[in-house]
Amino acid sequence: MTSIKHLGQGLAIPLLPDRVTRSLPVVAGADKVAQAIIIILETEPGERLMRPDFGAGLRRYLMQPNTVATRKLLQREVEAALTRWEPRITLRRVEVSAGEDPALVLIAIDYVHQRDQSPGNLVYPFYLDRE
């Protein structure tokens, strides 16, 4: 059985039709899981009508200082949200570090896909200041 069957397939976000074929883009397998992780990180609790608890709630950290304490809180929020909302992965590590920009934090996520035990990772840039 292929990893696509194990990890899922669905519409790509953003939903922009292909200019040539005019069809909606589809992602599958590990790319679908990575996209789902990003959706969790970018969603605030309360945004989804039928799932009011869905999301990581990272926007509450906007305008906070880029300190070790803030980064530790972000790490806990990400770990809790991904553990709760993404059952296709097992988290190995979430590390939040300061970026080159004083307002930038880099959220590095290492995980393993549940079904085939293949590793995955992504780095999500998050700005604490939206100027």
Side-chain angles (χ1 to χ4, degrees):
M1 194 173 270
T2 66
S3 68
I4 291 173
K5 289 182 181 178
H6 286 296
L7 300 175
Q9 179 176 333
L11 294 174
I13 303 295
L15 263 166
L16 297 173
D18 183 273
R19 290 178 187 232
V20 177
T21 65
R22 296 189 178 168
S23 62
L24 293 175
V26 175
V27 293
D31 292 335
K32 182 65 177 170
V33 174
Q35 180 177 289
I37 291 170
I38 292 170
I39 289 170
I40 292 167
L41 297 178
E42 291 181 351
T43 303
E44 282 297 298
E47 282 184 19
R48 294 212 172 171
L49 191 58
M50 300 303 287
R51 289 190 184 243
D53 297 334
F54 181 84
L58 300 184
R59 278 187 239 148
R60 75 181 77 154
Y61 295 98
L62 290 176
M63 306 309 289
Q64 296 296 317
N66 192 348
T67 62
V68 173
T70 301
R71 293 191 300 269
K72 190 66 173 174
L73 290 170
L74 283 165
Q75 177 185 353
R76 287 184 191 164
E77 295 286 348
V78 169
E79 288 172 349
L82 293 179
T83 300
R84 180 173 183 191
W85 296 111
E86 188 45 73
R88 295 174 289 184
I89 65 169
T90 300
L91 280 177
R92 282 185 174 166
R93 179 178 62 94
V94 174
E95 183 178 303
V96 181
S97 58
E100 291 181 15
D101 184 313
L104 174 66
V105 293
L106 300 171
I107 303 171
I109 303 165
D110 288 325
Y111 55 93
V112 175
H113 296 279
Q114 286 279 6
R115 297 281 176 116
D116 62 3
Q117 300 304 306
S118 63
N121 62 58
L122 65 87
V123 176
Y124 180 78
F126 182 73
Y127 284 87
L128 298 169
D129 186 3
R130 299 283 187 187
E131 288 186 356

